[in-house]
Amino acid sequence: MLTITKPRDVQIAPIGADTKVFRSRTWDRLKFEVEYSLQKGTTANSYLIQGDKTALIDPPGESFTENYLASLQERLDVAGLDYIVIQHFNGNRAATLKAILALAPQAKFVCSNTAAIALQEYFKEETEELNLIVVRGKESLDLGRGHHLQFITTPTPKWPDSLVTYDPLSKILFADKFFGAHVCGDQIFDEGWAVYSEDRRFYYDCLHASQPKQVLSALDKIADLEVKFYASGHGPLVRYGMTELTGLYRKWSEKQNSLDLKVALLYASAYGNTATVAQAIAKGLTKSGVAVESINCEVNSASEIEEALEKCDAFIIGSPTLGGHAPTQIQTALGIILNTVPTSKLAGVFGSFGWSGEAIDLLENKLKDTGYKFGFEPIRVKFKPTDVVLQQVKEAAIDFAQALKKSQKRRAPRPSIAASGSDRTAQAVGRLVGSLCVVAAKRGDVASGMLASWVSQATFNPPGLTVAVAKDRALESLTHSGDKFVLNILAEGTQLHKHFMKRFDPGEDRFVNVNTEEAQNGCVILSDALAYLECTIKNRMECGDHWIVYAVAEQGQVLDTESVTAVHFRKTGNYY
């Protein structure tokens, strides 16, 4: 099949007084999106403010350097650039910064102290000294013509150097990693903002659900600002849905903070790979209803690490391997664990490496020798994790969350005889029955399947159906709008359901030793099913501990005309 790839481009538009947005766009999936993309493309938004002096905010990464610089030079004498505001720094952005600095060596970088240290280290071979304006509190910068930029530090575990920028004249908040979405299109602002709701929630879940305290702190810092709209780092600028999205960020973060179980997730990352794995672990935990306290050991103090470990119900620690060893910060964190954390707390180990992975072995052996029990087998990732590896990591994290919940239930006091009587409501709910089916989904190289009984026809025209998918199911991440699946309807008396009821290891192929064929939408048809439907998901709704997925059946076939549909009978509505 011929795949037509749209070229990358830069969309430029005025958005306020003397202010333009440069939206570097791609409909392809970029490598930095691997851990938090629904494959809808993205924009990397940069901003130009031209007062008496000129400031450039957040030039994009190296994927866009050539197009971005060409577009910038058409509208600006880059040699006369005064300031480059870096709201967070990473190596991906460095190539563009180098190209700009070659044209404007006098330009001053405006950034947090953490970013300044990283910039100096990165550019030490390029120049003896960078022109830096370091933001440590609420510093400001006067560009003239009324543009008196205010800088607010908003550090998080994932971006310890993060800050946001506010222009009181235009009332624009340049929000960097907050309030974004990975979606590409022609809309500059979010007219009809509800269509972006799923993408914004997914973006929050992937990037911010594991750092709710820091999100709430950032929201408090900007609460008193008179903001016209958020100029986000990715996706449409947030204007029409700003009030709604701000409230949701607070609601989601407060919910994460209020969860009963908490896991301390400690890590350091040399090249970003270990941090990517940590992000996938956090996603698996949070979707399972377990709170995460992310601790970047490179920036958190020993007392902060100790406090987080003391308050957590379990911990997971990850490390890169540098020269055959774990970084000093990880060795310090390990020492704190061994000296202060009871062995009754569930543990986990992960890491990435280029050659041998000795740091992971060190963590595993030290914790095992001390007597800690692991919630998953140590995760070892060589080089940059792929989609398939990240899916396996998420599934391992889901297993960890389930093991943690079981361990807490065993420790909880048994209910009294009066409290353990029959739950009449649950018994009544259990009498609801549905078709017994196997949902087979696939996106790119990632595939999964699950047994489902909460399935129902929802519409006649178009022919549509709903499936309830628990938040902690491995398949859940493949059930977003636009995703495709095959609903395999099972026959009464089939043994297929027993195969899909068993526990699968993270990343294990669900369809081994099962007769299958490939559907036109790329998913799996069970050859021994009663019937099948090829479906495309149109939308979904969050309902308690499940997502209700609505999909349209595009084609299907009855494979067994003699049998009848299998249904699932339950004694109670409290479990499947």
Side-chain angles (χ1 to χ4, degrees), residues 242-253:
M242 185 178 70
T243 301
E244 175 82 11
L245 187 58
T246 305
L248 287 172
Y249 260 58
R250 186 170 292 279
K251 175 184 174 182
W252 294 334
S253 298

Side-chain angles (χ1 to χ4, degrees), residues 53-283:
K53 293 188 176 181
T54 305
L56 194 61
I57 300 176
D58 285 345
E62 61 184 347
S63 302
F64 300 112
T65 300
E66 184 177 348
N67 288 347
Y68 175 77
L69 203 58
S71 299
L72 193 64
Q73 287 177 301
E74 289 177 5
R75 291 159 179 82
L76 173 71
D77 178 10
V78 179
L81 182 65
D82 296 290
Y83 303 103
I84 306 172
V85 179
I86 306 297
Q87 298 192 122
H88 86 276
F89 173 74
N90 57 41
N92 181 55
R93 181 169 281 172
T96 308
L97 296 179
K98 280 186 178 181
I100 295 173
L101 205 58
L103 298 172
Q106 80 293 335
K108 295 180 179 180
F109 287 106
V110 183
C111 60
S112 69
N113 186 55
T114 305
I117 294 171
L119 278 166
Q120 288 173 319
E121 176 66 23
Y122 196 91
F123 283 98
K124 64 182 180 182
E125 295 181 2
E126 307 291 326
T127 180
E128 291 184 3
E129 186 175 358
L130 290 174
N131 294 319
L132 291 169
I133 298 176
V134 179
V135 176
R136 290 185 170 85
K138 290 188 176 181
E139 283 83 358
S140 60
L141 180 66
D142 189 359
L143 299 180
R145 299 186 195 174
H147 298 285
H148 201 83
L149 302 186
Q150 299 174 12
F151 303 106
I152 304 168
T153 56
T154 53
T156 68
K158 187 168 177 62
W159 300 286
D161 60 344
S162 175
L163 57 84
V164 298
T165 305
Y166 176 64
D167 184 352
L169 179 68
S170 61
K171 295 180 173 58
I172 299 173
L173 181 74
F174 301 93
D176 191 34
K177 289 297 184 182
F178 297 98
F179 311 116
H182 281 301
V183 58
C184 187
D186 294 326
Q187 279 189 229
I188 294 171
F189 288 95
D190 60 338
E191 300 95 337
W193 58 268
V195 300
Y196 299 114
S197 295
E198 183 180 340
D199 299 291
R200 286 173 170 170
R201 173 61 187 274
F202 185 80
Y203 182 92
Y204 172 90
D205 284 346
C206 290
L207 272 68
H208 296 302
S210 62
Q211 48 193 26
K213 287 197 305 185
Q214 292 82 3
V215 173
L216 290 171
S217 175
L219 292 175
D220 290 340
K221 289 180 179 181
I222 67 173
D224 294 331
L225 299 177
E226 186 181 352
V227 179
K228 187 176 180 181
F229 61 84
Y230 298 142
S232 56
H234 300 287
L237 282 60
V238 183
R239 180 175 185 174
Y240 301 97
M242 185 178 70
T243 301
E244 175 82 11
L245 187 58
T246 305
L248 287 172
Y249 260 58
R250 186 170 292 279
K251 175 184 174 182
W252 294 334
S253 298
E254 288 175 345
K255 181 179 179 181
Q256 288 297 322
N257 264 350
S258 66
L259 293 172
D260 293 332
L261 296 176
K262 179 175 288 187
V263 173
L265 179 60
L266 297 83
Y267 66 93
S269 190
Y271 304 105
N273 295 336
T274 307
T276 297
V277 177
Q279 199 74 13
I281 291 173
K283 180 70 185 299

Side-chain angles (χ1 to χ4, degrees), residues 339-564:
N339 288 321
T340 64
V341 179
T343 56
S344 58
K345 290 189 178 183
L346 201 64
V349 168
F350 70 98
S352 66
F353 57 94
W355 301 106
S356 49
E358 290 92 345
I360 307 168
D361 297 332
L362 166 70
L363 296 175
E364 178 186 5
N365 294 334
K366 287 288 187 181
L367 293 176
K368 278 188 175 179
D369 291 346
T370 306
Y372 291 98
K373 293 183 179 179
F374 286 22
F376 52 55
E377 289 297 314
I379 296 171
R380 293 175 167 82
V381 177
K382 192 170 185 180
F383 302 122
K384 187 172 181 65
T386 64
D387 284 359
V388 173
V389 168
L390 290 174
Q391 180 68 14
Q392 293 173 359
V393 170
K394 291 174 190 174
E395 292 179 20
I398 292 170
D399 286 352
F400 189 99
Q402 292 171 347
L404 177 58
K405 290 176 181 178
K406 287 179 181 178
S407 69
Q408 296 299 312
K409 284 181 180 179
R410 286 195 294 268
R411 295 175 193 168
R414 293 189 177 185
S416 65
I417 295 175
S420 61
S422 297
D423 184 338
R424 292 190 293 273
T425 301
Q427 289 180 346
V429 172
R431 296 305 184 267
L432 293 170
V433 297
S435 303
L436 200 57
C437 306
V438 171
V439 180
K442 185 176 183 181
R443 185 198 302 142
D445 295 328
V446 178
S448 190
M450 76 168 196
L451 189 67
S453 58
W454 294 2
V455 180
S456 179
Q457 183 172 350
T459 55
F460 287 127
N461 187 18
L465 55 94
T466 59
V467 183
V469 183
K471 291 180 178 178
D472 61 355
R473 297 299 291 267
L475 181 124
E476 182 274 335
S477 61
L478 303 178
T479 58
H480 289 268
S481 297
D483 284 332
K484 298 181 183 297
F485 66 84
V486 167
L487 185 72
N488 294 278
I489 304 165
L490 303 186
E492 186 177 290
T494 182
Q495 299 301 303
L496 277 172
H497 71 283
K498 292 184 178 180
H499 172 82
F500 289 95
M501 285 178 66
K502 74 176 186 179
R503 182 188 176 280
F504 292 94
D505 291 330
E508 183 179 351
D509 187 348
R510 270 66 171 167
F511 302 101
V512 170
N513 299 323
V514 176
N515 295 325
T516 64
E517 55 186 279
E518 185 176 336
Q520 290 190 26
N521 67 6
C523 301
V524 170
I525 297 171
L526 302 184
S527 304
D528 297 324
L530 174 75
Y532 72 89
L533 294 167
E534 297 188 34
C535 305
T536 297
I537 298 173
K538 296 303 179 182
N539 51 52
R540 67 183 203 160
M541 178 174 66
E542 186 176 11
C543 299
D545 54 6
H546 282 65
W547 289 96
I548 302 299
V549 175
Y550 170 71
V552 170
E554 296 174 327
Q555 59 184 344
Q557 184 178 345
V558 176
L559 302 176
D560 180 354
T561 57
E562 302 297 324
S563 301
V564 297

